Amino acid sequence: MNIRIARAPQSVKVQSYPITLLDGTSSMNFEYNEILKAHKKNFDDLGNKQLKIQFTEDVHDFEPFVAAGSGDITKAFKYILNKLLTEQFPQHVTIIFISDGDEKFNLPELKELIEKIKEKNFLIQFVSISIGKWFPNTISNQLRLQLHNTDFIEPIYHHNKNPERTEEEMFNFFDSAFKKIRDQTLVQQDLFQTDAEVKLTLVSNPQHHLPAGTLFVSEGEVIANGQVIPATNSLVDKKKMVSDSAQQALIMFASDPDKIVEEKILEKFQIVKDFSDEILKDVNQNNEIQQLTEQEQKLEIQFNNALVIVNQFAEGDVDIDQCTPQTLTGLQAQLSNPNPDAIDSIKIISQQLSVKDDAQNLQPENINLAQKKKLKNVGCFARAQVKMKQVQQLQQTYESAQITMAKEIIINGLKKYKSLFSQNQNQQDVRQILNEYYKSTLIELDSVFERVQLAKVDEESYDLLKELNLMMKEIDQVKLIKKALNSKDAIKIIDDVLAHAGIGIQQSMAITDHNDEFDYLPESLKSQIRPQNDDREKVVVIIFDNNESMRNEIDSAIENFNTEFSQIQTIKLKWQNAQFSLFDNQQQYVNLVDIFREFEEKNYKLNTKKICICLVTDGQNDYVKLHKQLKGLKANRYLIQLSYITIGSSFHFQITNELDKMMQNRNLKGRPLVLNVPRQKAVGNLKGQISQLMNSTTALNINSHFAKRFQDLKNNLFAQVQVDKNQWNNKSQIY
């Protein structure tokens, strides 16, 4: 394509009409006063020739501060777009959007109003001031893409939330941002119609009108007002076009992450790269050293910033999953930053996004640094992941997304170490490298979950945590290796770790005690998923399988339990037809956790106690469902100690075999107590055997069996007499 750069004719300057939308939710409390002071300083001279609103779930005056619990961006923009359509406004409008977090937004609800705005030929500038790492970058870029239709201006000014910042420092930032925006609101008045298609950047949509003074791209000559607009050969103009185009490509990229592939957005960066390569070729051929003005020096910095981003995205060296609103906000803000150190910030973000395994990235210190940066932003990755799942109508909690992202970041780090060892096969001992990686990862995970609180640990989150624990356990084993560990053997260890990450936790029919699954996770995470104090008051919860197959045992089981535990606080439940019920209440419960919550409301304080659950069952009646219910209690942070009284040999051997497998393969502690009440073996002729099996005839002396088992259970839970500590550690007891 023949790219021709030109600038539209100049015209008289006029004041654009500013419309400021300020987030009025409570999280803005820290910044509100300084924003207000800085805005007054820069815009109050306009008087009523501006619109200032504060948005929450409704639209309010700019002051006083509302400090609402939530906001509705859609409603706020409906309000201002309707005003533009129904009241008298100047043709030139500047929208200033200031926010610090995701509020309600639905772009399709605004589509009709946006189309009507376009028909009115408004010339709209759109600029955002982003505050903190939860700024709604996707929303901001969607609105910018839909509404901004005039000369390219810096799209975003970013302010990091920091409680240590003084009021003066905050004011200085907002004052500087508003001053730059105010300068940009002085715009050229005219709008020219063109005979040929033009674009305001290399990647913008084509159009047939040009705001006065605007730099633009075309494929041939363009006539406006009956005159040919001459092309420019200015290197400054060409470099500005590269910077503006890189920003526009980023805006398109960030406005809809789900359609990056579908819309071929990465190809937009290739267009910019091809043009920048031509500029660099011209610069290299012209060896003259020219003295640059201050403005040209700033543009040179922005051009070099753009080259880093454009080259990486054009090559496809981008991990899409890591392109969170925060990382993209950082790129957009730094791309336009005229300070010389902006390039360093861009390179750090670039490394976070990179999927390349080049020699520099594969240095241990660089792998650890990149992983540290990614783990620091795990909450942002998670929020983006949850939103994507919601779009795809898949269920995922924010908690499970956070754990998933942390796990994936560690997996990526391990893969880089695998590449490092593959490229350096001659390394004789890499134990120290892996041990340093383990320490670094544990420290960063600890930092992550000091900042990130898991409000809810559901079953998916619980299994993810167990996977993460197994991964960390495998890495930790390296410190036990006494002899040198070469690269080849190190790769085998990494493969073992990645195997734990890839296959998921195998679902077992047995459940270990609640506090024995997470020994290799950092303390900040363990403290959220398991109680610290194991010496709690105990409460016994007994669950009797009351289904048909248990009809010959259930009465004896209940009677002997009542006798043995008559002086102990207990909660007695029945399990029948996949539902629970209390002994003194006929109400049916589908979820066991609902019963626990009812007892919480009755001030039983189960969440402060050690809950000793004993399951009396033959395992023949929906045990998989019952198992899931017990697992659900663990996910709700109850401290559980589980015991089984199995009826008959079949289920007994099934559970003990599962436990043997779990304990041996994963070296877990907290093996549940498993006691057995045998059933009478069938004797006599075949007809008699079938009859006895159908009647589930229990062994003779059933009462004495249950009495002994419940006595053993009580002694194990409440050791009033000395019990051999090793009695239950290695295998279950069968009588």
Side-chain angles (χ1 to χ4, degrees), residues 438-465:
Y438 174 77
K439 292 176 186 176
S440 172
T441 301
L442 201 61
I443 290 170
E444 292 310 317
L445 276 177
D446 199 33
S447 177
V448 165
F449 290 100
E450 281 179 351
R451 299 189 308 269
V452 175
Q453 294 298 304
L454 302 178
K456 177 185 177 185
V457 184
D458 58 7
E459 186 175 344
E460 180 184 8
S461 302
Y462 196 81
D463 284 342
L464 286 167
L465 287 169

Side-chain angles (χ1 to χ4, degrees), residues 53-69:
I53 69 167
Q54 187 180 173
F55 69 91
T56 60
E57 290 282 355
D58 211 333
V59 175
H60 310 269
D61 292 334
F62 216 51
E63 52 182 319
F65 184 46
V66 180

Side-chain angles (χ1 to χ4, degrees), residues 371 375 410 435-449 472 476 479 519-524 526:
Q371 179 170 293
L375 284 172
I410 294 170
N435 285 329
E436 289 298 323
Y437 170 74
Y438 174 77
K439 292 176 186 176
S440 172
T441 301
L442 201 61
I443 290 170
E444 292 310 317
L445 276 177
D446 199 33
S447 177
V448 165
F449 290 100
M472 296 300 291
D476 182 61
K479 71 184 182 186
D519 288 348
Y520 295 88
L521 297 180
E523 288 302 322
S524 62
K526 284 192 283 191

Side-chain angles (χ1 to χ4, degrees), residues 229 252 292 305-306 334 463 505 631 643 693 728:
I229 302 176
M252 298 169 76
L292 299 178
N305 292 347
Q334 294 300 333
D463 284 342
I505 292 293
K631 195 173 176 183
S643 304
L693 287 171
W728 314 112

Side-chain angles (χ1 to χ4, degrees), residues 539-543 592 596 611-615 630 633 640-644 713 717:
V539 58
V540 175
V541 177
I542 184 87
I543 302 176
L592 184 56
F596 277 54
I611 303 170
C612 304
I613 296 180
C614 178
L615 181 59
L630 295 170
L633 290 178
I640 303 295
Q641 179 178 344
L642 188 62
S643 304
Y644 294 86
L713 175 65
L717 298 179

Side-chain angles (χ1 to χ4, degrees), residues 21-212:
L21 295 92
L22 175 62
D23 186 340
T25 56
S26 58
S27 58
M28 289 285 291
N29 181 62
F30 190 60
E31 293 83 14
Y32 174 78
N33 287 333
E34 305 314 312
I35 291 173
L36 191 64
K37 286 192 294 184
H39 193 277
K40 286 181 176 180
K41 177 184 174 183
N42 288 278
F43 291 97
D44 261 17
D45 64 301
L46 293 176
N48 61 2
K49 294 180 179 178
Q50 63 174 317
L51 176 63
K52 300 178 292 182
I53 69 167
Q54 187 180 173
F55 69 91
T56 60
E57 290 282 355
D58 211 333
V59 175
H60 310 269
D61 292 334
F62 216 51
E63 52 182 319
F65 184 46
V66 180
S70 59
D72 191 332
I73 296 172
T74 310
K75 183 178 286 188
F77 274 89
K78 278 184 179 178
Y79 175 81
I80 64 168
L81 295 179
N82 274 314
K83 285 185 77 73
L84 287 173
L85 291 169
T86 58
E87 300 177 16
Q88 292 294 320
F89 280 86
Q91 184 183 26
H92 293 270
V93 174
T94 300
I95 297 175
I96 308 166
F97 174 58
I98 310 169
S99 181
D100 74 338
D102 279 346
E103 309 297 346
K104 294 177 184 175
F105 183 70
N106 188 344
L107 183 61
E109 289 186 30
L110 299 175
K111 285 288 190 180
E112 185 177 347
L113 287 173
I114 290 171
E115 291 305 314
K116 290 179 180 178
I117 289 289
K118 290 178 179 178
E119 293 171 5
K120 290 278 188 177
N121 286 328
F122 280 105
L123 290 174
I124 298 176
Q125 295 178 322
F126 186 95
V127 60
S128 295
I129 296 181
S130 68
I131 300 173
K133 63 182 181 180
W134 301 119
F135 171 71
N137 181 274
T138 301
I139 295 172
S140 169
N141 283 298
Q142 287 175 340
L143 290 167
R144 164 92 179 199
L145 205 58
Q146 293 292 326
L147 293 171
H148 187 96
N149 62 355
T150 186
D151 195 11
F152 195 92
I153 63 170
E154 190 170 340
I156 194 167
Y157 298 86
H158 182 62
H159 172 75
N160 286 315
K161 274 184 180 287
N162 186 345
E164 295 182 0
R165 280 194 175 181
T166 65
E167 292 179 353
E168 181 181 7
E169 288 173 329
M170 283 194 292
F171 173 81
N172 289 339
F173 169 81
F174 293 116
D175 180 43
S176 173
F178 284 137
K179 185 180 186 305
K180 292 175 184 176
I181 294 170
R182 177 64 194 273
D183 290 344
Q184 292 171 338
T185 62
L186 198 61
V187 298
Q188 298 194 43
Q189 182 175 7
D190 293 342
L191 180 68
F192 302 108
Q193 297 299 314
T194 62
D195 67 324
E197 287 185 342
V198 296
K199 295 192 291 186
L200 299 186
T201 71
L202 292 163
V203 295
S204 298
N205 292 326
Q207 58 190 50
H208 279 276
H209 60 271
L210 277 175

